[in-house]
Amino acid sequence: MAAIDWMILVGYLAITLVIGLWLSRRNRSEDDYFVAGRRLSGWLAGASMAATTFSIDTPLYVAGLVGTRGLAGNWEWWSFGLAHVAMAVVFAPLWRRSGVLTDAAFTELRYGGAPAAWLRGIKAFLLALPVNCIGIGYAFLAMRKVVEALGIVSGNPVAVLGGTPDTVVLLAVVAVMVLVYTVAGGLWAVVITDFVQLLLALLGAVAVAWAAVHAAGGMDAMLDQLRGLERPELLAIVPWQWNGDGFDWIGGAEISVATFLSYLTVQWWSFRRSDGGGEFIQRMLATRDEHQAQLAGWVFLVVNYLVRSWLWVVVALAALVLLPAQADWELSYPTLAVTYLPPVVLGLVVVSLVAAFMSTVSTAVNWGASYLTHDLYQRFIRPDADQRELLLVGQFTSVLLLVLGVITALISDSIGTVFRLVIAIGTGPGVVLVLRWFWWRINAAAELAAMVCGFVVGLCTSVVPLVTIPDYGTRLMITTAITAVVWVVVMLVTPPESPQVLERFVNQVQPPGPGWSRLRQRLDITPVDSLVSLCLRFILSVGVLFGGLLGTGAFLLHQQLGGWIGLVVTVVCVLPLTRGWLRSRMGVA
């Protein structure tokens, strides 16, 4: 990096700190600090959600997937688009109507008694510490890889700091900068800086994609060179091809039939984020009303899948042509940036990567601190704590989480491995999280059993492999099946929630579906949406998202038939959705 690049980076960091300190004046209560006083617009909340997922690790992760498994490897994260559609269409208004501060606190709205309290405490602990610290470490690991690839650090000891490696020193400096504006500003600072960081991250992604394709000789030349590598999986959107005699599974993709099927049919609804996901739920709870919560979900869908996907994929494909001897494909993204971008542009791209990193870490820190403060400290230790005390606890726990996240980063090497680990230990409870919105019989014991069982099975098959299941898809299916047996048995042998608890939930949330029909009739409550209309909207929205995603990619890769099919599916699905939206806004039945 040239001097001008360093000036751009330092200037950006200074502006971020100023914004965080300025916004700290808005924090007068726990609601202000953790859900921005519930005053966010859907556009701002959705941009913040997109910025959170656009971490410094994501383009590296995609580059690693494409380099090792080809284009179809992206189904490992594309499949979560199904859950995110459900989040935007079905769950966003339900979450906003619940009015809780965290998804852990929701358990004591939906359930009652000691089991609900135990569930809330265990969930808050697991999500705030092991799960969240892995996520923070995941981002710091990517940051470490990027700064080493750029030659900023090399792991050498710094004599004046007692021999501490320069990589650790840099991570500590960045961590302190993130802490200053996150601890001071709370969610307001996170969301406002997220918006700026998202714009920078998108500009940086466009710059790297353009430079990489240009260096490869243009799109046509790049595609020709990729075909000459004799790796059919590189340009295959799905892990099979038609060879004239039938479908042929592409072995080079290293995606088994079981794994691909698990992506599409199990992973997205079995994962612990099946009804939204912690930090996404936080953003939806922070919006002004349920319509803004839905808008936030759609903004996230468009940015995360339709805008960003192919920018990352194009860079990953260009790396296969420009860096044929690359050993770690995850490093190809920063390597291309430092090789082909001139000064100033390189500085902007580095700023975009740092911005992406800071948006993810600041969100994880604030979100994790909300569990430790609201669901553990206030709920179980100091129920009478005043707002000033809760703010101080939130700031202290933010520091704790960041320190633990940095430690996690220093003991990992593969971003893709960490990604699959997070999925493994979170697989299993998803179906209970969905059913609790639609069926009165789900109780706290069932959800607690599903969460603990999924975590333990994932731990024993991934982190501490007491049982070895080599195939990733098979492992997910077995984990889901074992967890299902456990929670169903637990639910059947434990009593249902009391009528008082169930009536309180129905009055507050107005849940849809036949699973609540008897209670709704007793309370004379009409659901906002019918289950049939929600399912139809979900199917049409899935068509819009994946028609647009796959159609755009097919046109980009000069696969015209696939492009036109995707375009037609998108148009056919978006028309009835648009008509329905217009009718609802105009008050027409």
PDB file of all heavy atoms in Angstrom, residues 66-88:
ATOM      1  N   VAL A  66     -15.447 -21.429  -4.682  1.00  0.00           N
ATOM      2  CA  VAL A  66     -15.369 -21.556  -6.136  1.00  0.00           C
ATOM      3  C   VAL A  66     -14.051 -22.202  -6.554  1.00  0.00           C
ATOM      4  O   VAL A  66     -14.003 -23.035  -7.454  1.00  0.00           O
ATOM      5  CB  VAL A  66     -15.542 -20.177  -6.805  1.00  0.00           C
ATOM      6  CG1 VAL A  66     -15.349 -20.280  -8.314  1.00  0.00           C
ATOM      7  CG2 VAL A  66     -16.930 -19.611  -6.487  1.00  0.00           C
ATOM      8  N   GLY A  67     -12.972 -21.847  -5.890  1.00  0.00           N
ATOM      9  CA  GLY A  67     -11.673 -22.399  -6.250  1.00  0.00           C
ATOM     10  C   GLY A  67     -11.568 -23.886  -6.007  1.00  0.00           C
ATOM     11  O   GLY A  67     -10.899 -24.602  -6.762  1.00  0.00           O
ATOM     12  N   THR A  68     -12.230 -24.388  -4.974  1.00  0.00           N
ATOM     13  CA  THR A  68     -12.114 -25.806  -4.637  1.00  0.00           C
ATOM     14  C   THR A  68     -13.279 -26.644  -5.150  1.00  0.00           C
ATOM     15  O   THR A  68     -13.093 -27.809  -5.504  1.00  0.00           O
ATOM     16  CB  THR A  68     -12.022 -25.984  -3.112  1.00  0.00           C
ATOM     17  OG1 THR A  68     -13.165 -25.367  -2.488  1.00  0.00           O
ATOM     18  CG2 THR A  68     -10.761 -25.341  -2.573  1.00  0.00           C
ATOM     19  N   ARG A  69     -14.486 -26.051  -5.203  1.00  0.00           N
ATOM     20  CA  ARG A  69     -15.670 -26.832  -5.554  1.00  0.00           C
ATOM     21  C   ARG A  69     -16.386 -26.361  -6.810  1.00  0.00           C
ATOM     22  O   ARG A  69     -17.299 -27.021  -7.289  1.00  0.00           O
ATOM     23  CB  ARG A  69     -16.677 -26.803  -4.400  1.00  0.00           C
ATOM     24  CG  ARG A  69     -16.147 -27.382  -3.105  1.00  0.00           C
ATOM     25  CD  ARG A  69     -17.241 -27.383  -2.068  1.00  0.00           C
ATOM     26  NE  ARG A  69     -16.794 -27.984  -0.823  1.00  0.00           N
ATOM     27  CZ  ARG A  69     -17.588 -28.243   0.205  1.00  0.00           C
ATOM     28  NH1 ARG A  69     -18.873 -27.933   0.128  1.00  0.00           N
ATOM     29  NH2 ARG A  69     -17.107 -28.785   1.301  1.00  0.00           N
ATOM     30  N   GLY A  70     -15.985 -25.210  -7.312  1.00  0.00           N
ATOM     31  CA  GLY A  70     -16.681 -24.678  -8.468  1.00  0.00           C
ATOM     32  C   GLY A  70     -17.888 -23.845  -8.073  1.00  0.00           C
ATOM     33  O   GLY A  70     -18.180 -23.646  -6.889  1.00  0.00           O
ATOM     34  N   LEU A  71     -18.605 -23.392  -9.070  1.00  0.00           N
ATOM     35  CA  LEU A  71     -19.723 -22.472  -8.857  1.00  0.00           C
ATOM     36  C   LEU A  71     -20.811 -23.074  -7.971  1.00  0.00           C
ATOM     37  O   LEU A  71     -21.398 -22.396  -7.132  1.00  0.00           O
ATOM     38  CB  LEU A  71     -20.306 -22.085 -10.223  1.00  0.00           C
ATOM     39  CG  LEU A  71     -21.190 -20.857 -10.303  1.00  0.00           C
ATOM     40  CD1 LEU A  71     -20.517 -19.659  -9.682  1.00  0.00           C
ATOM     41  CD2 LEU A  71     -21.546 -20.584 -11.753  1.00  0.00           C
ATOM     42  N   ALA A  72     -21.088 -24.366  -8.138  1.00  0.00           N
ATOM     43  CA  ALA A  72     -22.163 -25.012  -7.373  1.00  0.00           C
ATOM     44  C   ALA A  72     -21.868 -25.041  -5.879  1.00  0.00           C
ATOM     45  O   ALA A  72     -22.785 -25.227  -5.076  1.00  0.00           O
ATOM     46  CB  ALA A  72     -22.397 -26.432  -7.887  1.00  0.00           C
ATOM     47  N   GLY A  73     -20.610 -24.857  -5.488  1.00  0.00           N
ATOM     48  CA  GLY A  73     -20.291 -24.824  -4.064  1.00  0.00           C
ATOM     49  C   GLY A  73     -21.014 -23.720  -3.323  1.00  0.00           C
ATOM     50  O   GLY A  73     -21.194 -23.791  -2.100  1.00  0.00           O
ATOM     51  N   ASN A  74     -21.463 -22.685  -4.058  1.00  0.00           N
ATOM     52  CA  ASN A  74     -22.160 -21.562  -3.420  1.00  0.00           C
ATOM     53  C   ASN A  74     -23.525 -21.947  -2.862  1.00  0.00           C
ATOM     54  O   ASN A  74     -24.102 -21.176  -2.077  1.00  0.00           O
ATOM     55  CB  ASN A  74     -22.321 -20.413  -4.414  1.00  0.00           C
ATOM     56  CG  ASN A  74     -21.013 -19.695  -4.675  1.00  0.00           C
ATOM     57  OD1 ASN A  74     -20.526 -18.927  -3.863  1.00  0.00           O
ATOM     58  ND2 ASN A  74     -20.427 -19.968  -5.829  1.00  0.00           N
ATOM     59  N   TRP A  75     -24.033 -23.119  -3.236  1.00  0.00           N
ATOM     60  CA  TRP A  75     -25.303 -23.545  -2.650  1.00  0.00           C
ATOM     61  C   TRP A  75     -25.183 -23.750  -1.146  1.00  0.00           C
ATOM     62  O   TRP A  75     -26.190 -23.795  -0.446  1.00  0.00           O
ATOM     63  CB  TRP A  75     -25.798 -24.818  -3.328  1.00  0.00           C
ATOM     64  CG  TRP A  75     -26.407 -24.534  -4.667  1.00  0.00           C
ATOM     65  CD1 TRP A  75     -25.835 -24.749  -5.889  1.00  0.00           C
ATOM     66  CD2 TRP A  75     -27.690 -23.962  -4.914  1.00  0.00           C
ATOM     67  NE1 TRP A  75     -26.687 -24.332  -6.894  1.00  0.00           N
ATOM     68  CE2 TRP A  75     -27.832 -23.849  -6.318  1.00  0.00           C
ATOM     69  CE3 TRP A  75     -28.723 -23.512  -4.099  1.00  0.00           C
ATOM     70  CZ2 TRP A  75     -28.977 -23.324  -6.909  1.00  0.00           C
ATOM     71  CZ3 TRP A  75     -29.869 -22.991  -4.689  1.00  0.00           C
ATOM     72  CH2 TRP A  75     -29.985 -22.902  -6.075  1.00  0.00           C
ATOM     73  N   GLU A  76     -23.966 -23.862  -0.651  1.00  0.00           N
ATOM     74  CA  GLU A  76     -23.764 -23.970   0.793  1.00  0.00           C
ATOM     75  C   GLU A  76     -24.331 -22.753   1.518  1.00  0.00           C
ATOM     76  O   GLU A  76     -24.818 -22.864   2.653  1.00  0.00           O
ATOM     77  CB  GLU A  76     -22.268 -24.128   1.092  1.00  0.00           C
ATOM     78  CG  GLU A  76     -21.949 -24.387   2.552  1.00  0.00           C
ATOM     79  CD  GLU A  76     -20.490 -24.787   2.756  1.00  0.00           C
ATOM     80  OE1 GLU A  76     -20.190 -25.997   2.691  1.00  0.00           O
ATOM     81  OE2 GLU A  76     -19.654 -23.878   2.946  1.00  0.00           O
ATOM     82  N   TRP A  77     -24.275 -21.576   0.876  1.00  0.00           N
ATOM     83  CA  TRP A  77     -24.877 -20.383   1.491  1.00  0.00           C
ATOM     84  C   TRP A  77     -26.081 -19.869   0.722  1.00  0.00           C
ATOM     85  O   TRP A  77     -26.974 -19.256   1.315  1.00  0.00           O
ATOM     86  CB  TRP A  77     -23.828 -19.281   1.669  1.00  0.00           C
ATOM     87  CG  TRP A  77     -23.301 -18.654   0.421  1.00  0.00           C
ATOM     88  CD1 TRP A  77     -22.349 -19.149  -0.407  1.00  0.00           C
ATOM     89  CD2 TRP A  77     -23.681 -17.380  -0.125  1.00  0.00           C
ATOM     90  NE1 TRP A  77     -22.103 -18.278  -1.449  1.00  0.00           N
ATOM     91  CE2 TRP A  77     -22.904 -17.180  -1.297  1.00  0.00           C
ATOM     92  CE3 TRP A  77     -24.587 -16.398   0.254  1.00  0.00           C
ATOM     93  CZ2 TRP A  77     -23.025 -16.043  -2.094  1.00  0.00           C
ATOM     94  CZ3 TRP A  77     -24.698 -15.246  -0.529  1.00  0.00           C
ATOM     95  CH2 TRP A  77     -23.919 -15.089  -1.689  1.00  0.00           C
ATOM     96  N   TRP A  78     -26.170 -20.146  -0.580  1.00  0.00           N
ATOM     97  CA  TRP A  78     -27.370 -19.743  -1.321  1.00  0.00           C
ATOM     98  C   TRP A  78     -28.619 -20.387  -0.738  1.00  0.00           C
ATOM     99  O   TRP A  78     -29.699 -19.798  -0.758  1.00  0.00           O
ATOM    100  CB  TRP A  78     -27.238 -20.129  -2.788  1.00  0.00           C
ATOM    101  CG  TRP A  78     -26.392 -19.199  -3.590  1.00  0.00           C
ATOM    102  CD1 TRP A  78     -25.959 -17.956  -3.257  1.00  0.00           C
ATOM    103  CD2 TRP A  78     -25.870 -19.452  -4.906  1.00  0.00           C
ATOM    104  NE1 TRP A  78     -25.204 -17.412  -4.270  1.00  0.00           N
ATOM    105  CE2 TRP A  78     -25.138 -18.301  -5.296  1.00  0.00           C
ATOM    106  CE3 TRP A  78     -25.953 -20.518  -5.787  1.00  0.00           C
ATOM    107  CZ2 TRP A  78     -24.495 -18.205  -6.531  1.00  0.00           C
ATOM    108  CZ3 TRP A  78     -25.317 -20.433  -7.024  1.00  0.00           C
ATOM    109  CH2 TRP A  78     -24.593 -19.284  -7.386  1.00  0.00           C
ATOM    110  N   SER A  79     -28.497 -21.614  -0.239  1.00  0.00           N
ATOM    111  CA  SER A  79     -29.674 -22.324   0.270  1.00  0.00           C
ATOM    112  C   SER A  79     -30.330 -21.582   1.428  1.00  0.00           C
ATOM    113  O   SER A  79     -31.536 -21.716   1.664  1.00  0.00           O
ATOM    114  CB  SER A  79     -29.289 -23.739   0.708  1.00  0.00           C
ATOM    115  OG  SER A  79     -28.359 -23.708   1.772  1.00  0.00           O
ATOM    116  N   PHE A  80     -29.564 -20.782   2.150  1.00  0.00           N
ATOM    117  CA  PHE A  80     -30.148 -20.020   3.248  1.00  0.00           C
ATOM    118  C   PHE A  80     -31.068 -18.911   2.741  1.00  0.00           C
ATOM    119  O   PHE A  80     -31.792 -18.296   3.531  1.00  0.00           O
ATOM    120  CB  PHE A  80     -29.049 -19.433   4.137  1.00  0.00           C
ATOM    121  CG  PHE A  80     -28.405 -20.449   5.037  1.00  0.00           C
ATOM    122  CD1 PHE A  80     -27.112 -20.863   4.805  1.00  0.00           C
ATOM    123  CD2 PHE A  80     -29.105 -21.005   6.084  1.00  0.00           C
ATOM    124  CE1 PHE A  80     -26.513 -21.805   5.618  1.00  0.00           C
ATOM    125  CE2 PHE A  80     -28.523 -21.947   6.918  1.00  0.00           C
ATOM    126  CZ  PHE A  80     -27.216 -22.355   6.684  1.00  0.00           C
ATOM    127  N   GLY A  81     -31.049 -18.660   1.436  1.00  0.00           N
ATOM    128  CA  GLY A  81     -32.001 -17.713   0.868  1.00  0.00           C
ATOM    129  C   GLY A  81     -33.444 -18.131   1.119  1.00  0.00           C
ATOM    130  O   GLY A  81     -34.331 -17.281   1.266  1.00  0.00           O
ATOM    131  N   LEU A  82     -33.698 -19.443   1.189  1.00  0.00           N
ATOM    132  CA  LEU A  82     -35.049 -19.917   1.483  1.00  0.00           C
ATOM    133  C   LEU A  82     -35.482 -19.465   2.881  1.00  0.00           C
ATOM    134  O   LEU A  82     -36.608 -18.995   3.074  1.00  0.00           O
ATOM    135  CB  LEU A  82     -35.091 -21.442   1.377  1.00  0.00           C
ATOM    136  CG  LEU A  82     -34.856 -22.015  -0.028  1.00  0.00           C
ATOM    137  CD1 LEU A  82     -34.468 -23.493   0.044  1.00  0.00           C
ATOM    138  CD2 LEU A  82     -36.107 -21.836  -0.881  1.00  0.00           C
ATOM    139  N   ALA A  83     -34.592 -19.613   3.852  1.00  0.00           N
ATOM    140  CA  ALA A  83     -34.909 -19.164   5.207  1.00  0.00           C
ATOM    141  C   ALA A  83     -35.044 -17.652   5.280  1.00  0.00           C
ATOM    142  O   ALA A  83     -35.900 -17.128   6.006  1.00  0.00           O
ATOM    143  CB  ALA A  83     -33.822 -19.639   6.178  1.00  0.00           C
ATOM    144  N   HIS A  84     -34.231 -16.942   4.508  1.00  0.00           N
ATOM    145  CA  HIS A  84     -34.302 -15.484   4.541  1.00  0.00           C
ATOM    146  C   HIS A  84     -35.562 -14.960   3.859  1.00  0.00           C
ATOM    147  O   HIS A  84     -36.092 -13.909   4.248  1.00  0.00           O
ATOM    148  CB  HIS A  84     -33.044 -14.895   3.889  1.00  0.00           C
ATOM    149  CG  HIS A  84     -31.810 -15.107   4.713  1.00  0.00           C
ATOM    150  ND1 HIS A  84     -30.569 -15.354   4.164  1.00  0.00           N
ATOM    151  CD2 HIS A  84     -31.630 -15.125   6.062  1.00  0.00           C
ATOM    152  CE1 HIS A  84     -29.688 -15.511   5.129  1.00  0.00           C
ATOM    153  NE2 HIS A  84     -30.302 -15.365   6.287  1.00  0.00           N
ATOM    154  N   VAL A  85     -36.060 -15.671   2.846  1.00  0.00           N
ATOM    155  CA  VAL A  85     -37.355 -15.311   2.264  1.00  0.00           C
ATOM    156  C   VAL A  85     -38.452 -15.491   3.312  1.00  0.00           C
ATOM    157  O   VAL A  85     -39.318 -14.625   3.479  1.00  0.00           O
ATOM    158  CB  VAL A  85     -37.653 -16.158   1.011  1.00  0.00           C
ATOM    159  CG1 VAL A  85     -39.109 -15.986   0.585  1.00  0.00           C
ATOM    160  CG2 VAL A  85     -36.746 -15.753  -0.142  1.00  0.00           C
ATOM    161  N   ALA A  86     -38.422 -16.624   4.015  1.00  0.00           N
ATOM    162  CA  ALA A  86     -39.409 -16.851   5.073  1.00  0.00           C
ATOM    163  C   ALA A  86     -39.320 -15.767   6.136  1.00  0.00           C
ATOM    164  O   ALA A  86     -40.341 -15.302   6.661  1.00  0.00           O
ATOM    165  CB  ALA A  86     -39.195 -18.230   5.685  1.00  0.00           C
ATOM    166  N   MET A  87     -38.095 -15.348   6.441  1.00  0.00           N
ATOM    167  CA  MET A  87     -37.913 -14.273   7.425  1.00  0.00           C
ATOM    168  C   MET A  87     -38.622 -12.996   6.979  1.00  0.00           C
ATOM    169  O   MET A  87     -39.346 -12.363   7.760  1.00  0.00           O
ATOM    170  CB  MET A  87     -36.423 -13.998   7.613  1.00  0.00           C
ATOM    171  CG  MET A  87     -36.091 -12.814   8.505  1.00  0.00           C
ATOM    172  SD  MET A  87     -34.333 -12.368   8.426  1.00  0.00           S
ATOM    173  CE  MET A  87     -34.259 -11.591   6.789  1.00  0.00           C
ATOM    174  N   ALA A  88     -38.417 -12.613   5.714  1.00  0.00           N
ATOM    175  CA  ALA A  88     -38.986 -11.356   5.217  1.00  0.00           C
ATOM    176  C   ALA A  88     -40.498 -11.433   5.054  1.00  0.00           C
ATOM    177  O   ALA A  88     -41.218 -10.479   5.377  1.00  0.00           O
ATOM    178  CB  ALA A  88     -38.332 -10.994   3.878  1.00  0.00           C
TER     179      ALA A  88
END
